Amino acid sequence: MSDLQATPPTPATPAVAPGAAALLKAPILREHHRKLNGTSIRRISRHMRSIRLVLQTMLFLAIIYTVTIGKPLLIPLLLAGFIGLGLNPIVSFGARLGVPRWLSACVVMLALGGAVGGGTSMLAPAALNWFHQAPEAMRQLAPKIKPMTQQLEAASRATQNLVGGNPRAGQPAPVAVFSSWDVITGAPKVMASVLTVALLVFFFLIYGDELLRRAVEVSPTFAQKRHTVSIVRSIQSEVSRYLLTTMAINAGLGLITAAMLYGYGVPDPLLWGAVAMLFNFVPYVGAITTTVVLCLVGLLHFNDAGTAMLPALSFAAITAIEGNVITPLIQGRRMRLSPVAILLWLLVWGWLWGIPGALLAVPMLTSAKLVAGRLRGWEWFAMMVGR
């Protein structure tokens, strides 16, 4: 036999087919791809949220800018729209009786114009009288409020000393002086605005239903048409009811205020009743402003401080009863708004549009709440501003 010993054969590694290797690696690759896809999806989702936030912010700023520069156009449109919604039930009632809408609209507009014109002509002499007597009235009022102003000036000087400022005594603040010429030069602009609003209200009353029919015709399906009609009709009736009840409540408040002032012997009670009625369209702020005005009027008319405060205190009690008992009882819970939402809304629209924005803020907020409550996806807004 040979010296060479046969070496035991080494076990051969089994050959793996390419397809089998791919099958073995497939679960690992799928898990790896799944992790990569999950990471990519999360990254893309974060990027999309960031882009959406930026776009929403830009849209919000664009809306604010548009609303600000469109103030001369939007204020007459909104005012006419609200007046038209408030008067539309009267015109619709006449149409159900067979009276043409244009005839009912003419009668309503003539009655409204006569009421506003008659009230203005009746109150204008008293308002101009107070306007011309304002400097003399302030001189008469100064000795009565001198103790209070002295305390305020002392507090102001102490505050300026604390912050290191130099109080400037004896330098009266500049006072804006208005003359009759300012009123005359501004009259054409005011008359043009009034005429624009009146024409818009007139055409809204005549063609309001036609605009609704055309909006329904645009809807593609019958279900959407029916849904559109239901939403528009309900919002129209509820906003009209809100506006009419608010006007009636404010008119009643003005009459009660005028009667109270007449009982106290305050001059021109109808003028201050009209002021209370108009200011009450601005919740909280309007009542506080009217109370301050009546306090000044009382100080001008009465020599005794206790008697001078009676008109303002009586008006504060009347507005407290009206705001907490009468208005919630008549309008119901559906029309009630959160005080925080009202104040924020007044702040925003007063900043954007001034006094007209403050007067239109609450009707706009109420309408927005009613609309949001009937639109899918916007119920949260109605809940946030509700009470």
Side-chain angles (χ1 to χ4, degrees):
M1 294 182 62
S2 173
D3 295 338
L4 296 175
Q5 296 180 358
T7 59
T10 58
T13 303
V16 180
L23 290 175
L24 291 174
K25 295 180 179 179
I28 300 175
L29 292 175
R30 282 198 298 267
E31 181 66 20
H32 182 65
H33 289 163
R34 189 181 65 81
K35 291 181 179 179
L36 289 177
N37 291 335
T39 304
S40 301
I41 291 173
R42 286 194 295 270
R43 187 181 296 114
I44 293 172
S45 178
R46 286 196 297 268
H47 290 168
M48 292 299 295
R49 284 197 296 268
S50 301
I51 293 173
R52 189 183 300 113
L53 180 60
V54 172
L55 291 177
Q56 289 175 350
T57 304
M58 293 176 64
L59 177 62
F60 176 74
L61 294 176
I63 291 173
I64 294 296
Y65 178 74
T66 304
V67 166
T68 304
I69 65 173
K71 171 184 173 181
L73 174 65
L74 294 176
I75 289 178
L77 281 175
L78 283 174
L79 182 59
F82 285 129
I83 295 175
L85 281 174
L87 299 177
N88 185 67
I90 303 174
V91 179
S92 299
F93 178 74
R96 287 194 295 270
L97 295 178
V99 181
R101 291 189 66 90
W102 65 268
L103 182 58
S104 300
C106 288
V107 173
V108 169
M109 292 302 297
L110 288 175
L112 180 63
V116 173
T120 303
S121 62
M122 182 173 60
L123 298 177
L128 290 175
N129 186 30
W130 280 93
F131 176 78
H132 289 299
Q133 292 181 356
E136 180 64 26
M138 294 304 297
R139 282 194 292 269
Q140 294 178 4
L141 184 62
K144 297 181 180 180
I145 62 174
K146 187 175 181 179
M148 184 184 302
T149 57
Q150 287 177 346
Q151 294 177 0
L152 292 176
E153 290 175 358
S156 176
R157 286 194 297 269
T159 304
Q160 291 177 351
N161 290 330
L162 287 175
V163 298
N166 295 321
R168 294 177 297 176
Q171 296 183 2
V175 179
V177 179
F178 299 96
S179 63
S180 301
W181 180 250
D182 297 327
V183 178
I184 294 174
T185 55
K189 185 177 180 180
V190 174
M191 292 300 297
S193 300
V194 171
L195 182 60
T196 301
V197 173
L199 287 175
L200 287 173
V201 172
F202 180 71
F203 286 114
F204 283 161
L205 291 176
I206 295 177
Y207 299 108
D209 285 352
E210 184 177 350
L211 292 175
L212 173 60
R213 285 194 297 269
R214 293 188 178 183
V216 171
E217 291 174 359
V218 173
S219 302
T221 63
F222 178 75
Q224 292 182 355
K225 293 178 187 292
R226 185 174 59 184
H227 186 60
T228 302
V229 171
S230 175
I231 290 177
V232 173
R233 289 297 186 192
S234 60
I235 291 174
Q236 186 182 46
S237 62
E238 290 177 354
V239 172
S240 299
R241 184 170 65 88
Y242 163 76
L243 293 174
L244 287 176
T245 53
T246 302
M247 291 178 185
I249 290 171
N250 291 344
L253 176 68
L255 291 176
I256 293 174
T257 302
M260 177 265 296
L261 295 176
Y262 178 78
Y264 286 137
V266 177
D268 302 319
L270 290 178
L271 173 64
W272 306 119
V275 169
M277 179 186 70
L278 293 177
F279 283 8
N280 202 53
F281 281 98
V282 184
Y284 307 116
V285 178
I288 294 173
T289 305
T290 307
T291 303
V292 174
V293 170
L294 292 181
C295 179
L296 296 177
V297 172
L299 288 172
L300 287 173
H301 184 67
F302 300 104
N303 294 323
D304 182 42
T307 307
M309 292 293 108
L310 282 178
L313 294 176
S314 301
F315 177 77
I318 293 171
T319 52
I321 296 173
E322 175 267 326
N324 295 290
V325 179
I326 298 176
T327 299
L329 184 65
I330 295 176
Q331 291 186 347
R333 183 175 179 82
R334 183 171 177 79
M335 299 291 181
R336 298 181 68 182
L337 299 171
S338 170
V340 178
I342 291 175
L343 291 176
L344 291 176
W345 202 256
L346 286 173
L347 180 64
V348 170
W349 290 103
W351 170 60
L352 291 175
W353 288 353
I355 295 177
L359 291 174
L360 293 171
V362 176
M364 285 192 292
L365 182 59
T366 305
S367 303
K369 177 189 175 184
L370 294 174
V371 172
R374 294 185 174 273
L375 292 180
R376 189 175 303 169
W378 285 89
E379 295 86 354
W380 63 269
F381 181 82
M383 294 180 62
M384 288 292 294
V385 301
R387 185 175 180 180

